[in-house]
Amino acid sequence: MNRLVLAVLLCGPTHSVALSQWQPQAIKTDADFRGLSVGSATVAWVSGTKGTFGRTTDGGKTWSVGTVPNADTLDFRDVEAFGEDTAYLMSAGPGDGSRIYKTTDGGKTWALQFTNAEPKGFFDALAFWDEKHGIALSDPVDGRFLLVTTDDGGKTWTTLPEKRRPEALPNEGCFAASGTCLVARGARDVWFCTGGGKAARVFRSSDRGATWAVTEAPLLAGVESGGGFGLAFRDGTNGVLVGGDYRKPDATAGTGAVTADGGKTWAAIEKPLPFRSGVAWAKDRWVAVGTSGSDASSDGAAWKQLDTDKYNSVAFTATGDGWAVGPKGRIAKFAKADR
């Protein structure tokens, strides 16, 4: 979007969550980070303003930082990485400010793979099923969400035909706040969440975007700054949706929902969180982050505050190794000592 951008979760673990700590990481940049991709306990990538990207290959002990050539005015809102060497960056902006770059040598060189040619387009997030198959999401153009896909590792990006692009409500769009308004899972499943219109909604596809279904979600609606901001799934059926109103970071109205049927239905969480822009499954708990702090939950319903620092996005590996990123070069690693 052209701006900043229940019940207990069924079948989830029921043990309690102990207070955890975020360990600050040092990186030499003041760029605002929104993109985050965690590949393993040792490898993670970040991206943000001023054409900036960063990478660690030693579990966060050291971070390298760089700027994509001729892209220092771009805001890289999402990064998707495959190991130490291969990564994709997506910038968000009107018209040709939305682009996709790829590196295969750890960021030493970058190839421009896609430039948005639609003046009304504004890309929000990027997701991959595997190294060859990916999808990127833009705000609506002429009443339909614009989506592009690749089947060859980004060598070519193809715009979905108009009839396959889901229709949008008036003023509906997505938030390029954390790179997690769009998520892909398994071989073919993909979801994206929306806001800004008369209803917050979640779109889902089980065939890589060939067809779409949509469900209203019990999140804040009716204001351009509110709705769904981030999605995460623990498996193919259990997921959490977070959001709210980014202009009111401490408000708790319509900020979270859960699903136990793959996104067909959503139920509001029992005890609302403050505004949160990103959420992730961390092996045995959910972790949500936003500009007023972070929280953890073992069941998706009861949340416990971790801290009050500002974050934009969070991501974890299947083994529970993860990071969170935020403004002014903020990177923090999740401590697992309390597990």
Side-chain angles (χ1 to χ4, degrees), residues 194-217:
T194 72
K198 66 179 182 180
R201 301 199 291 173
V202 176
F203 290 80
R204 66 186 187 281
S205 173
S206 59
D207 51 19
R208 292 184 184 162
T211 59
W212 293 91
V214 62
T215 303
E216 287 194 15

Side-chain angles (χ1 to χ4, degrees), residues 48-52 67-76 89 91 99 101 110 112:
T49 54
K50 306 176 186 177
T52 305
T67 301
V68 176
N70 303 313
D72 57 336
T73 62
L74 297 181
D75 188 353
F76 288 120
L89 293 173
S91 61
R99 305 178 193 175
Y101 291 80
W110 292 89
L112 176 60

Side-chain angles (χ1 to χ4, degrees), residues 9 13 82 246 275 315:
L9 185 59
F82 296 92
Y246 74 80
F275 164 75

Side-chain angles (χ1 to χ4, degrees), residues 176-238:
S178 64
T180 60
C181 65
L182 171 77
V183 295
R185 184 179 177 85
R188 306 181 70 82
D189 292 337
V190 59
W191 299 261
F192 70 87
C193 59
T194 72
K198 66 179 182 180
R201 301 199 291 173
V202 176
F203 290 80
R204 66 186 187 281
S205 173
S206 59
D207 51 19
R208 292 184 184 162
T211 59
W212 293 91
V214 62
T215 303
E216 287 194 15
L219 264 66
L220 184 69
V223 294
E224 68 169 5
S225 54
F229 280 70
L231 282 162
F233 280 82
R234 179 165 61 86
D235 48 37
T237 57
N238 296 287

